[in-house]
Amino acid sequence: MATSGNGACGVSAAASGAGSEAVVRVEGLRKSFGSNMVLRGIDLTVMPGQVVTIIGASGSGKSTLLRCINLLETPDAGHVWFRGKDLAAEHVDINALREKIGMVFQSFNLFNNMNVLDNCTLAPVTLKKTSRQEAEKVALANLDSVGLADFAGADVNTLSGGQKQRVAIARALCMKPDLMLFDEPTSALDPEISGEVLEVMRRLASQGMTMVVVTHEMAFARSVSDEVVFMDEGVIAEKGSPEKMFTDPEKPRTREFLARYL
Ligand SMILES: Nc1ncnc2c1ncn2[C@@H]1O[C@H](COP(=O)(O)OP(=O)(O)OP(=O)(O)O)[C@@H](O)[C@H]1O
Ligand SMILES: [Mg+2]
């Protein structure tokens, strides 16, 4: 296995070997903010079509991990490979790779000065140079898939939270991502509204989308995940199948955390 001291050398032995089919491989990832060491050596592999959920207490580093995967944050040490490419390598086109990683945030982050359709076509037209006609066709198909075909012309400010989040998912899908990152996508929503967003995510998972989902929705994590990762103070304290994690976790910290939800 490569270690975090290898430097930025492109495709590593680890990433080019038998595991090269991984969508994301994280090794030895470390990140501090000042003296606050937030990620203390994270190793994680996400294979095509896998749904990995990340659970853990507030401040354990879940968002920072997601933000390092799409380079919204720059890691201090360690590596992130996306489809075999080291994101820290100098010759790698970060923007091109990032276009293949969709991100959905707790706070929607829609462009409030645009209607629903323009939210969905902006990135394909400006970043990928897709024709407007093609971008609109793709956008309408994705809006349809999240149940919002009739809202293409709507002002986003008039939508409910659940509708906004479904637009955010459709918008991310318009870039035809290889990986979707979700950071607590339902935390800002009322419980009865969360269901419609979780249903869209569930469908996406069943269609084979590779997903990393930070969530406190334990029923969702249990039913949709291939792997559940429990983060505690900047490390992966335990990971495993949903059955194991939710019925028979090994670590006292995992049990203690889950006891709050079960
Ligand atoms: N840009 C930043 N600058 C300084 N400190 C940060 C920054 N981003 C995160 N932190 C700190 O890093 C730690 C981990 O934050 P992070 O957002 O990754 O946790 P989290 O597990 O996502 O928590 P939550 O469940 O509350 O969202 C916290 O102490 C936070 O204050
Ligand atoms: Mg967070």
Side-chain angles (χ1 to χ4, degrees):
M1 296 290 266
T3 60
S4 55
N6 280 359
C9 56
V11 179
S12 78
S16 63
S20 62
E21 72 273 30
V23 177
V24 176
R25 182 183 293 268
V26 174
E27 274 178 20
L29 186 65
R30 293 177 174 273
K31 177 70 182 175
S32 296
F33 296 104
S35 60
N36 184 8
M37 200 189 288
V38 173
L39 299 179
R40 301 162 181 258
I42 300 283
D43 299 319
L44 183 70
T45 300
V46 185
M47 302 303 288
Q50 263 197 326
V51 178
V52 174
T53 52
I54 302 177
I55 60 174
S58 181
S60 58
K62 306 179 299 295
S63 296
T64 304
L65 172 58
L66 282 197
R67 293 168 62 82
C68 285
I69 290 175
N70 68 0
L71 294 189
L72 286 173
E73 298 290 354
T74 309
D76 296 333
H79 290 274
V80 179
W81 289 276
F82 178 66
R83 305 187 76 198
K85 296 222 172 60
D86 185 342
L87 296 187
E90 276 167 19
H91 58 274
V92 163
D93 182 346
I94 293 300
N95 289 329
L97 287 181
R98 213 187 256 148
E99 286 174 13
K100 304 302 281 177
I101 304 178
M103 179 118 182
V104 175
F105 302 87
Q106 179 177 342
S107 52
F108 322 129
N109 292 17
L110 295 176
F111 305 114
N112 291 323
N113 58 338
M114 293 178 194
N115 70 17
V116 167
L117 186 65
D118 290 345
N119 263 273
C120 292
T121 57
L122 183 71
V125 168
T126 57
L127 299 178
K128 283 175 89 174
K129 310 295 178 207
T130 307
S131 71
R132 175 155 289 281
Q133 192 185 17
E134 171 65 13
E136 288 188 358
K137 193 175 115 199
V138 171
L140 289 170
N142 283 314
L143 287 170
D144 189 37
S145 77
V146 300
L148 292 173
D150 295 338
F151 289 79
D155 176 345
V156 297
N157 301 295
T158 65
L159 303 180
S160 71
Q163 290 170 330
K164 283 183 185 169
Q165 198 58 301
R166 286 185 283 144
V167 171
I169 294 170
R171 178 178 64 175
L173 293 175
C174 286
M175 292 298 277
K176 304 189 171 137
D178 291 336
L179 170 69
M180 287 284 286
L181 305 175
F182 293 87
D183 194 356
E184 301 199 33
T186 60
S187 294
L189 303 176
D190 293 337
E192 66 269 30
I193 299 286
S194 297
E196 66 190 47
V197 174
L198 294 173
E199 191 48 44
V200 165
M201 293 169 64
R202 211 180 284 276
R203 194 157 356 104
L204 207 50
S206 73
Q207 289 164 354
M209 177 60 75
T210 310
M211 297 166 46
V212 180
V213 184
V214 174
T215 188
H216 294 288
E217 300 276 357
M218 297 304 164
F220 174 84
R222 187 166 181 168
S223 62
V224 178
S225 310
D226 295 294
E227 184 170 57
V228 178
V229 170
F230 171 57
M231 283 187 67
D232 185 35
E233 297 184 353
V235 298
I236 294 179
E238 186 168 357
K239 62 182 167 185
S241 69
E243 291 71 29
K244 176 179 171 296
M245 293 294 281
F246 288 109
T247 60
D248 189 24
E250 272 167 28
K251 302 276 170 67
R253 283 291 294 128
T254 317
R255 274 187 235 130
E256 199 182 303
F257 175 77
L258 287 173
R260 292 183 219 161
Y261 292 90
L262 303 176

